[in-house]
Amino acid sequence: MFTPVRSRIRTAALALSAITALALGATATTGAAAAPAPAKQRPTSVAYVEVNNNSMLNVGKYTLANGGGNVFDVAVIFAANINYNTGTKAATLYFNENVQRVLDNAATQIRPLQQKGIKVVLSVLGNHQGAGFANFPSQQAASTFAKQLSDTVAKYGLDGIDFDDEYADYGNNGTGQPNASSFVYLVSALRANTPDKIISLYNIGPAASRLSYGGVDVSSKFDYAWNPYYGTWQVPGIALPKSKLSPAAVEIGGTSQSTAASLARRTVSEGYGVYLTYNLDGADRSADVSAFTRELYGSDAHYTP
């Protein structure tokens, strides 16, 4: 049996209770056009960053010693929350003070990564309030939340949304249990709203096993899906091509370098197209990162403070 789930820090998210108001229809200023990074072979490397403790800019500090390309292709802001408004009895998108700070300072926290060619995605996570991706009571409720997500992507100039169905505590505050239609409606609406943006799946929780309803299967609407158990190999159970899947998952500094290298080697040998990492911090992790870049790309990783 795998030992589940990352040791993720949500202190600020749980301590704060205000609901984030989104300015609907706002548009983002994306700044200068991104300069293309040097060509890099697959797989795509993904880095989750706990922004309660660490800077998103750390993702851009790693390049390949051979060729100078970015080590990481996708940076994930961890994490916004799906909260429950007991007054309106509806799910609402919430940003703790640290996530809000990153978004409000997109010009200095997000745009520099994008200008290097790194995509920046916002992860959304449950918050123990009963609201989750799998228990919207109607298509309209799911579509309303999808609109909050797509408005956020547009407002802050993000490259997409990551779904992480943990810590919802379904049933709290009188909310419903997971149902078959909820996540299908949500993903369908978000994809319609953001046809050219990333939608990724952290393959865990009730939502991840409810991808088909009423003749609609939303598997193909995802750009990526990944294993949620760090230090292990597990192929996500979703009908996507290997190029969009990460069976490998590592915690940088938490998974041994030998395991990270072994998982990277297997990623290449079995033809998978994504390699997932979690918890990139501000220390020089070039030794940990090089352990997998040598296997993925044939190059050590160089760290620039």
Side-chain angles (χ1 to χ4, degrees):
M1 176 180 292
F2 295 122
T3 301
V5 188
R6 16 192 184 184
S7 175
R8 295 181 154 190
I9 299 166
R10 302 179 310 284
T11 305
L14 299 177
L16 299 174
S17 59
I19 303 302
T20 297
L22 295 175
L24 300 181
T27 57
T29 300
T30 57
K40 184 182 84 173
Q41 67 185 64
R42 287 182 183 244
T44 295
S45 290
V46 180
Y48 277 82
V49 178
E50 290 261 17
V51 296
N52 284 347
N53 304 305
N54 299 300
S55 169
M56 290 300 297
L57 296 179
N58 293 330
V59 180
K61 294 180 178 180
Y62 292 87
T63 54
L64 296 175
N66 297 340
N70 299 317
V71 165
F72 297 106
D73 306 287
V74 180
V76 184
I77 301 168
F78 188 79
N81 295 104
I82 177 171
N83 278 9
Y84 188 69
N85 186 323
T86 56
T88 62
K89 299 189 183 304
T92 187
L93 185 61
Y94 170 78
F95 310 132
N96 73 19
E97 61 186 357
N98 300 302
V99 173
Q100 188 68 65
R101 186 180 303 115
V102 171
L103 297 175
D104 287 344
N105 292 283
T108 57
Q109 298 298 307
I110 296 173
R111 234 53 84 216
L113 297 178
Q114 292 173 325
Q115 288 164 2
K116 291 175 183 284
I118 300 169
K119 302 292 187 182
V120 180
V121 170
L122 178 67
S123 188
V124 185
L125 178 73
N127 204 13
H128 305 282
Q129 298 184 8
F133 313 129
N135 69 342
F136 287 105
S138 67
Q139 185 171 11
Q140 179 59 51
S143 295
T144 297
F145 189 74
K147 180 70 161 52
Q148 293 182 49
L149 296 175
S150 58
D151 284 344
T152 296
V153 168
K155 179 178 180 179
Y156 296 107
L158 300 171
D159 294 299
I161 294 292
D162 174 65
F163 288 112
D164 182 348
D165 191 14
E166 299 179 89
Y167 313 118
D169 291 356
Y170 290 104
N172 277 4
N173 290 313
T175 58
Q177 291 300 310
N179 63 63
S181 63
S182 175
F183 197 44
V184 173
Y185 287 147
L186 176 61
V187 174
S188 296
L190 180 60
R191 176 50 78 207
N193 293 351
T194 59
D196 302 318
K197 298 294 184 177
I198 292 171
I199 302 178
S200 58
L201 177 65
Y202 191 79
N203 191 49
I204 199 168
S209 61
R210 290 167 169 81
L211 302 178
S212 180
Y213 175 77
V216 176
D217 189 316
V218 294
S219 298
S220 63
K221 298 183 187 298
F222 289 95
D223 293 277
Y224 304 112
W226 28 70
N227 171 16
Y229 301 100
Y230 300 113
T232 74
W233 177 274
Q234 186 180 95
V235 180
I238 179 174
L240 285 173
K242 284 185 172 184
S243 62
K244 296 185 175 185
L245 296 176
S246 181
V250 301
E251 180 176 357
I252 295 175
T255 301
S256 71
Q257 292 177 21
S258 60
T259 297
S262 175
L263 292 172
R265 196 157 46 246
R266 188 171 179 183
T267 297
V268 173
S269 67
E270 297 192 20
Y272 286 94
V274 189
Y275 189 86
L276 177 69
T277 76
Y278 165 68
N279 207 25
L280 183 66
D281 61 19
D284 178 354
R285 296 292 181 182
S286 55
D288 294 303
V289 175
S290 292
F292 61 80
T293 61
R294 281 193 291 266
E295 303 296 335
L296 296 177
Y297 312 119
S299 174
D300 283 337
H302 176 71
Y303 172 77
T304 302

